Amino acid sequence: MCPAFLMCRPTYYGIHYRINPWMDLRRQANRLLALRQWHALRDVLEREFGARVCVCRARPGLPDMAFTANAGLVRGRVFVPSRFRYPERAGEEPHFARWFRRRGYAVRPLDCGRGVSAVSGASLPRAANFEGAGDALFAGDTLFAGYYFRTDVHTHAALGAALGVRVVSLQLVNPRFYHLDTCFAPLDGSAALYYPRAFDAYALRVLRENVGDLVAVSDAEAHEFGCNAVVAGRKAVIPQPCRDLARALRRRRYAVYPLPFSEFIKAGGAAKCLTLRLD
Ligand code: ARG
């Protein structure tokens, strides 16, 4: 079965605001180089992974739209759209929802009982946030879901109900690793990459209890976005250089494709963030 991904060309990409510690308005991304890096990823997915890559149209004024992992979460023909934490990205929501609706997906926004408190009947201060596949990764039928910086934990129960899957919640504690896909990547079956210092002690215990083969990524390589790998079958795209990680994956019989993502790391993302798995 050939994998399918949604990507969005970084036509209007740039560092226009600061919503995570990687972003610095004085460290602009080179858009031409970003485009080249994006195309290199797309080429490897199409040629080496044999993947189908769908591309949605970029919109001016939405520089982070290239990070399609945050559009929402796909399971079969169901699309659960994101509700972004920051208003800077909320403008992406209708564009992604339209893309999926037009292609016949059931678009199912999360119902978190938003607005009114069940206990007092009082209005809640704000709606619940969920940032899609950036914070929710399937390993088989189990959904590993991160929360705290971008996604609210009570969306996890709603996700489990909407998709009929078991959800394992993991609290993130390190602001540089604000999305689960910056510090965790399921491999085949019961293995996963992870960066231990992105999790609290309880989340580490939950990971140990739920993942048979945990591959720890070093401090240095986690900061090179090593955990932000695109994995399909026995193939993996990882950010360059991440040499130890490449070795660990090859030892597990993965074909490894290291690529540069310097321009996207300036916004706090790399390989995996630029893709959304559709199949
Ligand atoms: N600048 C973007 C943000 O902070 C980067 C998103 C990276 N995406 C991801 N799935 N980790 O929202």
Side-chain angles (χ1 to χ4, degrees):
M1 191 192 61
C2 90
F5 298 93
L6 175 65
M7 295 181 70
C8 178
R9 214 173 265 106
T11 315
Y12 305 103
Y13 175 68
I15 314 299
H16 297 179
Y17 44 73
R18 186 170 197 270
I19 58 173
N20 71 54
W22 300 90
M23 301 175 93
D24 179 344
L25 296 178
R26 291 159 310 185
R27 255 172 29 102
Q28 260 319 312
N30 175 332
R31 197 180 292 160
L32 264 179
L33 186 51
L35 263 168
R36 226 180 293 146
Q37 295 177 347
W38 184 90
H39 277 286
L41 172 62
R42 181 184 174 172
D43 281 354
V44 167
L45 294 179
E46 288 182 332
R47 289 190 200 149
E48 308 294 336
F49 282 47
R52 187 164 61 87
V53 175
C54 302
V55 178
C56 69
R57 196 160 104 231
R59 307 289 168 144
L62 296 172
D64 275 335
M65 227 180 139
F67 297 113
T68 52
N70 300 122
L73 183 66
V74 178
R75 175 78 166 171
R77 297 297 293 171
V78 175
F79 174 67
V80 179
S82 288
R83 272 187 52 88
F84 283 95
R85 169 80 73 206
Y86 293 105
E88 286 85 341
R89 293 200 66 184
E92 301 174 28
E93 291 170 17
H95 299 297
F96 286 125
R98 200 174 315 119
W99 193 92
F100 282 92
R101 206 172 299 115
R102 285 203 178 142
R103 279 151 191 88
Y105 284 81
V107 176
R108 239 180 252 167
L110 286 181
D111 177 10
C112 303
R114 131 174 27 137
V116 182
S117 158
V119 180
S120 63
S123 285
L124 294 176
R126 66 180 166 72
N129 295 111
F130 167 62
E131 296 207 353
D135 266 331
L137 294 115
F138 278 106
D141 281 330
T142 300
L143 186 63
F144 287 88
Y147 68 93
Y148 186 65
F149 295 107
R150 298 298 186 87
T151 291
D152 291 310
V153 69
H154 51 292
T155 62
H156 291 180
L159 264 181
L163 301 175
V165 295
R166 186 171 83 103
V167 181
V168 174
S169 297
L170 301 165
Q171 180 170 2
L172 303 175
V173 298
N174 186 329
R176 281 201 176 258
F177 299 87
Y178 57 95
H179 277 142
L180 184 62
D181 69 0
T182 64
C183 52
F184 179 75
L187 303 174
D188 64 306
S190 63
L193 307 177
Y194 81 125
Y195 175 49
R197 293 176 69 179
F199 300 95
D200 67 0
Y202 183 74
L204 288 174
R205 201 176 94 198
V206 171
L207 279 173
R208 271 183 236 116
E209 283 167 2
N210 285 277
V211 184
D213 179 19
L214 274 174
V215 184
V217 173
S218 70
D219 277 312
E221 296 193 348
H223 286 81
E224 292 165 4
F225 271 76
C227 295
N228 205 244
V230 185
V231 183
R234 291 319 283 184
K235 295 180 173 143
V237 173
I238 62 169
Q240 270 173 5
C242 291
R243 290 200 183 84
D244 293 337
L245 172 59
R247 224 172 290 126
L249 285 169
R250 288 193 185 107
R251 236 182 283 124
R252 286 173 174 77
R253 299 188 328 281
Y254 278 86
V256 182
Y257 303 88
L259 292 176
F261 292 99
S262 60
E263 300 319 292
F264 296 105
I265 290 175
K266 291 175 182 169
K272 155 69 172 60
C273 305
L274 294 170
T275 67
L276 177 64
R277 193 75 186 253
L278 295 175
D279 56 303

